[in-house]
């Protein structure tokens, strides 16, 4: 969009495609080349075709084409631990010098000693304490800088590459495909918005204002011709389970047309989407690939998918198996 | 966007304009015809020109072109009382049959009896009670339907036309002008998001996901294959004064490039915008026109503008006087 040169465009079904070069129109390239030609891909493309076809009884105007995506386990890898938790652990280690008391204080002691058992025993209360110690008490700009710095050097323990390269190529294609068809794509994640905003635009093409996530309370601070917003040590909204429709209602203000998730934490988001009037679409990514990724569902502490598997069929949700339905998994070869 | 026909477009400075018809390019029409050619218009167009000019040292990529607008007194008329308060009063009257206790209970008694003195005496606590009684305890969809129904018949007491026609033509032009130059336009209002979302897209061209406002806490509810989000009787965020930067950080996640307001309730939003690095722009609408609108500032209980007038010059904020700088005030002739 920065060029001032002429750029002929062709409007097709509400979407912008570059005009074909050389005169004759050629068949458009497959927008989802990393998907096998199995049922999930067929259901997805058939849905998009019917809601974007002018004159179709299911036509939906571009302004109402909202698609929401969970992040962990849907757009990028959440195993063996949530990326944001890996970040928090590294931050505890980096901040330990300033907090000598952590040596004797749980859950920090467990993190510093790599004591997984004691860490697990600290439960949700321990997790909240770690989050608050590492994610609050600073300006949003300061926090975002720590995220950016960390991502530049941190590596996924299994794939040994940056976490931002542990994103799913098939889902990047879905994001681009929907945007090319006039959709606005949003992330609606249990992770915090502050953690995703510094890189979501570059990695997913999703700008900060379309990133919805867990939030802390914040406070405005201005002094000497400068101003900022400071993150306070209090949870504002946990954007998971029933918190996802709440986050969607607050940030987006209308029902999504399509929702993509992978765990029971996304159940209510898919339910809120697909129980609305008119055509709706829900898809669950099912982690089934021990070889190329991880296989987990009903009994996993991370990304548990149990009720979703039970009810998907009755609710008309598509279940995409990584093993069977994805030709490629990651955006960069392992 | 619904047509499948060819539509040649010309990209200019990141904005989409239809290609000129008939061969020769003609000078573009004035995008702000309702503004006099006085200093505010000149400052506004000079700023937009420099941040959108490719190669300029002040060039800002389209993704970062965020402009925020207060609503009451900036985009539409807030006198003699806030439109949302007029709505709340009418809702109290409409609901009175279901609440016989209101006859003897303040502040409802004052509303039902038109007792302005008693109403004013009930203060902020009274106002909160009225808001909670009329804006919560129902689904978002139910609330939005009451707003839409009310706007269809309610009339402004002075102009005797729908409130949605008491919007400022010069500001509609600014919204369209910025969007044509690659900006995303957001409303950031002390009014509630739920109150603005049903009509902001039609009236201002601002979609629900770009409406930031005061919010109530909400709760997800699903039953028998239906689902909704219910508005609860607790304030979540008051999006006014220091709450505006908080709302911007939460919903938009980046600093605006331009901010438009009219009262001291917008002071922190303009400060947060214009104290950020790089080129920034702040504008205050000054209500100075007794004949065509209302004249009020330092002593007005509604839309008080005092500190803003004192500090605008030192902070480099533009003050636009309705009397002197606006050729036309309302979008429809009085």
């Amino acid at each position: 969009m920065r060029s001032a040169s002429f750029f002929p465009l062709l409007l097709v079904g509400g979407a912008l495609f570059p005009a074909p070069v050389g005169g004759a129109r050629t068949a458009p390239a497959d927008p989802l080349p990393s998907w096998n030609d199995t049922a999930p891909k067929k259901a997805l493309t058939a849905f998009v075709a019917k809601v974007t076809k002018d004159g179709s009884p299911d036509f939906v105007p571009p302004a109402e084409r909202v698609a929401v995506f969970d992040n962990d386990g849907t757009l990028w890898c959440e195993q063996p631990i949530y990326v944001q938790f890996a970040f928090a652990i590294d931050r505890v280690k980096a901040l330990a010098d300033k907090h000598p008391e952590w040596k004797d204080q749980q859950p920090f002691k467990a993190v510093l000693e790599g004591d997984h058992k004691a860490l697990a025993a600290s439960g949700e209360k321990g997790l909240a304490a770690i989050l608050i110690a590492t994610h609050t008490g600073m300006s949003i700009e300061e926090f975002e800088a720590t995220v950016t710095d960390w991502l530049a050097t941190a590596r996924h323990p299994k794939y040994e590459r940056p976490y931002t390269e542990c994103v799913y190529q098939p889902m990047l294609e879905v994001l681009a495909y929907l945007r090319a068809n006039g959709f606005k794509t949003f992330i609606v994640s249990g992770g915090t918005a502050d953690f995703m905003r510094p890189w979501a635009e570059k990695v997913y093409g999703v700008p900060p204002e379309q990133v919805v996530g867990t939030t802390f309370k914040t406070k405005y601070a201005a002094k000497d011709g400068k101003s900022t917003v400071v993150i306070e040590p209090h949870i504002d909204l946990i954007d998971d389970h029933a918190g996802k429709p709440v986050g969607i209602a607050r940030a987006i203000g209308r029902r999504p047309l399509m929702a993509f998730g992978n765990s029971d934490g996304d159940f209510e988001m898919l339910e809120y989407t697909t129980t609305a009037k008119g055509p709706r679409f829900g898809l669950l990514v099912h982690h089934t690939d021990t070889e190329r990724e991880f296989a987990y569902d009903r009994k996993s502490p991370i990304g548990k998918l149990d009720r979703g598997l039970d009810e998907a069929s009755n609710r008309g949700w598509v279940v995409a198996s990584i093993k069977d339905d994805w030709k490629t998994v990651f955006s960069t070869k392992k």
Side-chain angles (χ1 to χ4, degrees), chain A residues 30 40 44 56 59 62 81 95 97 118 127 138 149 157 170 183 189-190 195 199 201 230 248 250-251 263 279 306 333:
Chain A
D30 180 356
L44 178 54
S56 147
F59 180 81
I81 57 170
L95 293 167
D97 278 353
L127 179 64
M138 67 198 97
D149 289 350
F183 280 78
S189 169
F195 183 73
W199 51 271
E201 187 155 29
V230 176
I248 290 168
R250 185 168 86 174
S263 80
D306 188 32
K333 286 212 167 57

Side-chain angles (χ1 to χ4, degrees), chain A residues 180-199:
Chain A
N181 279 281
F183 280 78
K184 247 188 185 176
T185 52
F186 290 81
I187 292 171
V188 177
S189 169
T192 71
D194 296 336
F195 183 73
M196 295 178 285
R197 283 173 169 162
W199 51 271

